[in-house]
Amino acid sequence: AGDPRLAMPRQRYGSEFLVGTVADPTASQEENDLWEQSLRLLVETLEPLYPEAEAVVAGVPLAEARAESRRGPVVDAFRKRVIQQMIYATDGFETPDQLDEYLTTLQTDKRLLKWLGLLERTALEAEALQAEIRLRQKEAEDAPPRSRQANDAQDAIRAAYDRTRGLDVRIRTALSAARDNFGDQLDAYKEFGDALDAINPFKMFR
């Protein structure tokens, strides 16, 4: 809606569409009359559509504003969920404010988008595993003691916990990219590689 190129064209009125129309000399009078009637009916149908289109276009900014107002809380809620998984993965050794700062770095440094994607995907996987653990714990509580159902539930809980440890490692890896200024290190490696290329006499043969 904010793009000036996306604007309504000038309104055309029915009389403009009829300007320059002439009878077909190769057709009969009856055929020309039918063509003229059809054209006038078409023009009468088109002309009222412009105000309707204007009303629809005018509603686009409001629709975008409503969508944006809904998007904000959704993004904030997801951000809080990701930070919660970061807290779990770091065992409380990093403060929530520090983790929030690391997440902001990952979101704003284009060089670190790969690690942001890793963090977000892993956070969702961790949430799913935590939900599975809660479900299996409920099954274990409801099952008869020392029954097969109870044993199966306990096995599933242990397996899920083992998988969460691997996810914790992935989350900490993403955090280290932000904490250790990995974007700057990537730039330094690139500059070093470019410098080697500049003095390498065999570069042309690669």
Side-chain angles (χ1 to χ4, degrees), residues 136-165:
R136 298 302 184 183
Q137 288 173 335
K138 182 68 168 58
E139 291 178 356
E141 292 172 1
D142 294 341
R146 294 183 294 279
S147 66
R148 179 177 178 180
Q149 294 91 334
N151 291 336
D152 288 346
Q154 291 296 340
D155 288 343
I157 291 171
R158 284 191 290 270
Y161 270 122
D162 288 341
R163 290 161 62 193
T164 61
R165 284 196 286 270

Side-chain angles (χ1 to χ4, degrees), residues 85-96:
Q85 297 306 319
M86 294 161 68
I87 292 173
Y88 292 150
T90 56
D91 296 323
F93 287 110
E94 303 274 7
T95 68

Side-chain angles (χ1 to χ4, degrees), residues 16-70:
E16 296 181 67
F17 291 103
L18 299 176
V19 171
T21 58
V22 295
D24 184 353
T26 64
S28 66
Q29 182 63 42
E30 182 180 2
E31 288 174 328
N32 278 313
D33 290 343
L34 288 173
W35 278 113
E36 182 180 359
Q37 292 174 18
S38 299
L39 179 58
R40 290 186 180 278
L41 285 174
L42 178 61
V43 168
E44 291 173 2
T45 302
L46 289 175
E47 191 167 322
L49 294 179
Y50 191 89
E52 295 179 16
E54 280 187 315
V56 171
V57 171
V60 169
L62 293 177
E64 289 180 339
R66 288 193 296 269
E68 184 64 25
S69 66
R70 291 192 296 269

